[in-house]
């Protein structure tokens, strides 16, 4: 059985070892990347049972993604394969440690064909948490509808909805993004935006105003990520900053937010105090940016405990 359910697209990632314009790069090691599977892998490494759903292309790349995620101990049994489209691909271009460009080759991909009917309610309902990102609804109309259906199932079954806006303006217009991200946020119990994403969604500047606006008058938990400074927690009862961990050297910033989400969800599943969960989430975020790749730096439980000491 699973404790968390998430759904989204995972792509084959081609990420060169050297920091150089792709115009001159000749070799591309092959990896995988996808915000939701990053979270599922992070949770698996922390000792949880995570279920990840997606649609993959029939053929080598789909098999590679599928086997890799399954190999990380994530439950992939609800995934579907299709002959109608290819598995998405992503190229990363790093020009300096903190300056990462991504190029998507994912329009009309297999994952973009996800449909509400693909969701297995009985399977999902085993989970206590539904994890969503703002990437999945950006992929296609049917993906948007699938996300809305997942929300409906989660509500019906008393699941906690954790939402990371993960704004990707390469995938949709600012106008649609703003509308849909706010629509999903309204249904979520826990919202995990970066400060810039929160500002984008709400049009507010001050962090307290951003959080209050995301609460939308409900009793939600808002946790705003502020990079190396850590995170800001905003609930009805408390408004508090929780400090981040020092990072010796940023190697690859991609995936930090997913590690953060895994840390928070782990805390929810263990029914830990929020402060403790956020502290762990900060630690995982710091560990992820110190290693290459989107998910490779996600720590096992022991490693994160050691790092926090
Ligand atoms: O959060 C990291 C993800 O952005 C990365 O792994 C790839 O899912 C991805 C995306 O859509 O950019």
């Amino acid at each position: 059985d699973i404790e968390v359910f998430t759904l989204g697209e995972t792509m084959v990632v081609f990420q060169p070892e050297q920091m150089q314009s792709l115009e001159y790069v000749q070799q591309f090691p092959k990896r995988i990347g996808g915000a939701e599977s990053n979270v599922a892998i992070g949770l698996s490494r922390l000792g949880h049972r995570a279920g990840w759903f997606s649609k993959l292309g029939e053929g080598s790349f789909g098999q590679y993604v599928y086997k890799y995620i399954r190999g990380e101990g994530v439950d992939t049994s609800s995934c579907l394969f299709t002959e109608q489209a290819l598995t998405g691909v992503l190229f990363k271009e790093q020009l300096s440690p903190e300056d990462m460009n991504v190029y998507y080759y994912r329009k009309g991909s297999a994952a973009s064909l996800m449909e509400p009917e693909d969701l297995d309610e009985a399977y999902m309902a085993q989970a206590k948490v539904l994890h969503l990102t703002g990437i999945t609804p950006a992929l296609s109309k049917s993906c948007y509808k699938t996300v809305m259906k997942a929300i409906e199932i989660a509500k019906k079954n008393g699941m906690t909805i954790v939402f990371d806006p993960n704004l990707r303006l390469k995938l949709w217009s600012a106008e649609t993004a703003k509308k849909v991200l706010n629509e999903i946020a309204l249904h979520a119990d826990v919202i995990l935006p970066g400060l810039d994403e929160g500002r984008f969604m709400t049009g507010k500047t001050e962090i307290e105003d951003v959080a209050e606006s995301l609460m939308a008058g409900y009793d939600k938990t808002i946790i705003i990520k502020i990079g190396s400074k850590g995170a800001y927690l905003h609930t009805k009862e408390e408004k508090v900053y929780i400090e981040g961990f020092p990072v010796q050297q940023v190697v690859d910033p991609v995936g930090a937010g997913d590690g953060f989400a895994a840390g928070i969800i782990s805390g929810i599943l263990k029914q830990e105090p929020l402060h403790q969960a956020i502290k762990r989430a900060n630690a995982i975020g710091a560990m992820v940016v110190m290693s290459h790749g989107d998910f490779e730096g996600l720590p096992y439980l022991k490693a994160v405990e050691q790092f926090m000491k």
Side-chain angles (χ1 to χ4, degrees), residues 58-298:
E58 293 270 12
S60 318
F61 276 179
Q63 278 303 335
Y64 167 64
V65 168
Y66 179 77
K67 281 200 226 171
Y68 205 104
I69 295 171
R70 194 173 59 171
E72 287 283 346
V74 173
D75 190 301
T76 52
S77 60
S78 71
C79 286
L80 297 171
F81 286 85
T82 176
E83 276 177 353
Q84 277 159 352
L86 299 169
T87 304
V89 168
L90 158 65
F91 289 86
K92 285 168 87 175
E93 177 183 58
Q94 194 168 22
L95 302 173
S96 73
E98 276 153 72
D99 184 11
M100 184 74 81
N101 299 319
V102 298
Y103 301 98
Y104 294 136
Y105 292 76
R106 68 195 301 189
K107 222 188 185 115
S109 67
S112 78
L113 304 181
M114 284 189 276
E115 292 175 29
E117 299 75 49
D118 293 335
L119 295 176
D120 179 343
E121 177 164 353
Y123 174 78
M124 284 176 65
Q126 303 169 65
K128 292 190 182 70
V129 172
L130 169 66
H131 165 261
L132 296 173
T133 80
I135 299 174
T136 316
L139 301 178
S140 67
K141 255 264 157 61
S142 72
C143 281
Y144 163 76
K145 287 187 189 154
T146 309
V147 168
M148 296 319 286
K149 176 79 183 176
I151 290 172
E152 192 189 310
I153 293 173
K155 296 257 176 217
K156 198 170 135 198
N157 291 281
M159 296 160 72
T160 300
I161 301 176
V162 177
F163 177 50
D164 181 344
N166 255 323
L167 176 64
R168 298 285 183 272
L169 285 172
K170 283 190 175 171
L171 297 177
W172 51 357
S173 72
E175 195 191 347
T176 314
K178 189 170 171 181
K179 186 170 141 252
V180 175
L181 296 181
N182 276 299
E183 184 186 6
I184 298 172
L186 211 51
H187 294 291
D189 304 293
V190 181
I191 310 175
L192 310 174
L195 181 54
D196 288 345
E197 289 168 335
R199 285 176 172 152
F200 170 85
M201 287 169 70
T202 61
K204 304 275 196 270
T205 311
E206 297 303 323
I207 196 162
E208 294 84 2
D209 299 337
V210 169
E212 197 57 36
S213 174
L214 289 172
M215 295 267 270
Y218 293 92
D219 193 3
K220 296 179 189 290
T221 300
I222 314 296
I223 306 170
I224 300 180
K225 296 168 276 186
I226 39 180
S228 59
K229 293 202 205 83
Y232 169 68
L233 167 66
H234 188 104
T235 65
K236 262 192 177 157
E237 293 77 34
E238 61 178 339
K239 285 124 185 80
V240 62
Y241 286 88
I242 293 166
E243 226 182 294
F245 287 80
V247 167
Q248 282 117 29
Q249 203 197 351
V250 174
V251 175
D252 176 352
V254 179
D258 303 329
F260 186 90
I264 297 295
I265 294 170
S266 174
I268 294 173
L269 293 171
K270 290 181 176 167
Q271 298 185 306
E272 276 174 0
L274 269 174
H275 287 224
Q276 201 175 319
I278 295 171
K279 205 170 158 204
R280 185 193 311 101
N282 281 340
I284 298 173
M287 292 174 86
V288 170
V289 303
M290 287 190 276
S291 88
H292 227 61
D294 294 12
F295 71 90
E296 285 87 335
L298 289 163

